[in-house]
Amino acid sequence: MASEMMEALMTLCQEKHIDELYLLDRLEQSLAKSYADVLHLSYGARVTIDRTTGKVYVYELVPKGEPDEETGEYAEFDEVDVTPEGTSRFAAQHAKNEIRALVRDAARQQIYEEFSHRIGDIITGTVLQSTPDFTIIKIREGVEAELPHFDLRRFPEERDERPFGERYGHNQRIKAIIIDVRNPNNAQPAVRGERQRPPIVVSRTHPDLIRRLFELEVPEVYEGIVSIRSVAREPGIRSKIAVSSSDERLDPVGACVGPKGSRVRTVVSELRGERVDVVPWFDDPARCVASALSPARVSRVIIDAETRHATVIVPDDQLSLAIGKEGQNARLAARLTGLHIDIKNETLAAKILRDLPATPADLPEQTKKEEAHRCIYVSPDGVPCRNMARPGSNYCGIHERMAEVQVSDDEDSLI
């Protein structure tokens, strides 16, 4: 029976691509621990398996000499043969468990080596199982991924990667992005039950998911002609992306939207109805902020580069649109541009600027000179222009032409 067990063991090792000597070593260690408990051996046991016949020998470790004075442990042991009957049957059961564990570990190691370099890639899978805490997605035969959506109040160490309002049914096909691949060789698991959970972790809330979806739907993005410069997202509700083009003849927004909105509509469909705004990106921070607040119209943007603060002035009827429902539009625009945005309507802005104190006469000469070179234009609402005047002129480049216009005294004149 013992030789038959060895033959079956070697055959199984060849089928599963497991090293025979490595399996036998692990099997000996596992049997040693088990027999030490079963036979109540105080100092443990050592087990050897005959590589030819498969016969199992169990030896009790008996200490000899004096223990170490500091640790109290023995350095040398005598081995006493205490092999019980039926060891082959006991070893066969252990071999079965060890092979299962080895096959599972080898599969996880293979998955880790294949997918650890693919973090950030998009995958398409089929929903196998959905629970209140996670969803298992089948990528291909033998490869599964976990989409966690734990309640972070109960499990703060876990993740929630499911957008608001999404639910998944059995056999439903979904796209997600790989955000982590668990290493099976970690001595300390990062999360509870890591050994039993799929090694691949995916997300549908990550901002890069939108990038990958546009790469799939827009050839210009895939080829690098159109670049997605920034993404701001509130998963399941609304997102904004800022795009630019390396080709001046190509409209980046139009390329992403597609004919009659077909391309962006496909992305919105994959995101389960999440609204996606596509806006142009500008290197000028003021123009970029004005673009990010779309669809609201912006009158003026004042940038403080040191504090990365942007003060935005909008028409009175555009204030609620610029802020958005519960501040959503302004919040997404701030994430998109990386600036703190303060939005004011024209009426409030005019009152604040009008109440600012005039420059005292005893200010330093440098300050007086700086104020003297500001544009002297004042809007009909009483808001002075804060741009610097052009050299040799009292006006900035925007209002200099207005100063050149001569107003006629003739009431019937159009000028």
Side-chain angles (χ1 to χ4, degrees):
M1 179 177 177
S3 60
E4 292 178 0
M5 184 195 76
M6 287 299 295
E7 291 178 3
L9 200 63
M10 298 303 108
T11 302
L12 193 56
C13 286
Q14 293 176 0
E15 292 178 356
K16 300 297 185 180
H17 304 286
I18 300 173
D19 186 276
E20 300 172 1
L21 296 179
Y22 176 67
L23 174 61
L24 289 173
D25 288 341
R26 282 193 54 167
L27 186 55
E28 288 175 345
Q29 296 173 11
S30 176
L31 286 170
K33 293 179 181 178
S34 298
Y35 274 117
D37 294 336
V38 171
L39 301 177
H40 305 289
L41 305 180
S42 302
Y43 294 95
R46 189 176 73 86
V47 173
T48 60
I49 301 175
D50 191 301
R51 299 319 194 237
T52 304
T53 63
K55 184 172 177 57
V56 179
Y57 299 92
V58 182
Y59 300 95
E60 180 184 2
L61 299 179
V62 180
K64 64 179 181 179
E66 297 296 330
D68 187 273
E69 296 181 357
E70 296 182 357
T71 62
E73 297 180 356
Y74 290 91
E76 297 181 356
F77 295 88
D78 287 330
E79 296 181 357
V80 179
D81 190 347
V82 292
T83 305
E85 297 181 359
T87 53
S88 297
R89 186 179 300 277
F90 195 65
Q93 182 62 35
H94 269 260
K96 183 178 180 181
N97 296 335
E98 286 297 323
I99 288 175
R100 286 178 178 174
L102 279 175
V103 171
R104 183 172 62 252
D105 293 345
R108 293 179 71 90
Q109 183 64 30
Q110 183 179 4
I111 292 173
Y112 177 76
E113 293 175 355
E114 179 182 354
F115 287 91
S116 60
H117 304 293
R118 294 184 55 188
I119 293 178
D121 289 355
I122 192 170
I123 57 100
T124 302
T126 305
V127 175
L128 289 181
Q129 179 186 7
S130 187
T131 71
D133 294 330
F134 56 83
T135 297
I136 304 299
I137 301 172
K138 178 182 177 182
I139 300 177
R140 66 166 189 262
E141 192 64 36
V143 180
E144 298 176 353
E146 175 188 274
L147 176 65
H149 39 81
F150 286 85
D151 184 351
L152 300 183
R153 293 171 297 181
R154 295 174 54 205
F155 307 104
E157 74 283 357
E158 294 286 355
R159 296 171 172 170
D160 182 9
E161 303 295 339
R162 181 179 64 180
F164 174 77
E166 283 195 2
R167 297 294 182 273
Y168 312 113
H170 184 64
N171 281 337
Q172 180 181 352
R173 292 185 64 83
I174 61 175
K175 289 183 172 64
I177 189 170
I178 300 175
I179 59 172
D180 189 20
V181 182
R182 298 184 176 116
N183 189 348
N185 298 321
N186 283 342
Q188 295 294 333
V191 294
R192 59 189 178 88
E194 180 177 313
R195 303 295 185 188
Q196 290 72 39
R197 291 159 65 173
I200 303 174
V201 183
V202 297
S203 170
R204 281 183 55 84
T205 62
H206 200 282
D208 282 347
L209 177 62
I210 292 185
R211 294 180 186 269
R212 300 295 177 258
L213 290 175
F214 273 100
E215 286 179 1
L216 294 176
E217 298 299 330
V218 184
E220 292 85 353
V221 175
Y222 180 78
E223 294 170 1
I225 301 173
V226 174
S227 301
I228 299 178
R229 304 293 294 271
S230 182
V231 178
R233 188 178 181 202
E234 292 193 354
I237 304 175
R238 186 179 179 185
S239 299
K240 282 179 179 284
I241 67 169
V243 295
S244 64
S245 173
S246 60
D247 188 349
E248 296 180 355
R249 298 169 296 177
L250 178 65
D251 176 19
V253 176
C256 293
V257 172
K260 298 182 179 180
S262 59
R263 293 175 175 175
V264 73
R265 192 160 51 243
T266 303
V267 174
V268 170
S269 176
E270 179 58 41
L271 296 175
R272 304 291 190 270
E274 179 179 321
R275 179 180 173 184
V276 179
D277 297 342
V278 185
V279 300
W281 173 272
F282 298 98
D283 293 330
D284 180 13
R287 297 183 65 189
C288 192
V289 169
S291 173
L293 287 171
S294 175
R297 289 183 289 106
V298 174
S299 302
R300 188 173 168 190
V301 178
I302 304 170
I303 301 292
D304 187 339
E306 293 183 358
T307 61
R308 298 192 60 79
H309 187 102
T311 302
V312 181
I313 301 174
V314 299
D316 293 358
D317 60 345
Q318 296 288 304
L319 182 61
S320 60
L321 184 61
I323 296 174
K325 184 179 180 181
E326 298 179 353
Q328 185 186 77
N329 192 57
R331 190 164 55 248
L332 289 174
R335 294 178 189 171
L336 196 70
T337 59
L339 299 171
H340 176 78
I341 298 178
D342 183 17
I343 303 176
K344 302 182 183 298
N345 60 354
E346 290 182 343
T347 302
L348 179 61
K351 182 179 179 181
I352 293 174
L353 294 175
R354 191 184 305 117
D355 294 341
L356 287 177
T359 305
D362 57 350
L363 281 180
E365 188 66 26
Q366 184 179 357
T367 307
K368 293 182 183 179
K369 184 177 180 181
E370 181 183 353
E371 292 297 330
H373 282 279
R374 291 190 181 278
C375 178
I376 64 173
Y377 175 80
V378 179
S379 70
D381 297 329
V383 181
C385 178
R386 299 191 55 157
N387 295 331
M388 297 303 294
R390 299 186 66 181
S393 174
N394 290 328
Y395 297 92
C396 64
I398 299 175
H399 302 118
E400 191 172 31
R401 294 184 180 179
M402 300 177 61
E404 295 175 356
V405 177
Q406 300 295 329
V407 181
S408 173
D409 294 335
D410 187 359
E411 297 180 356
D412 297 328
S413 174
L414 296 177
I415 302 178

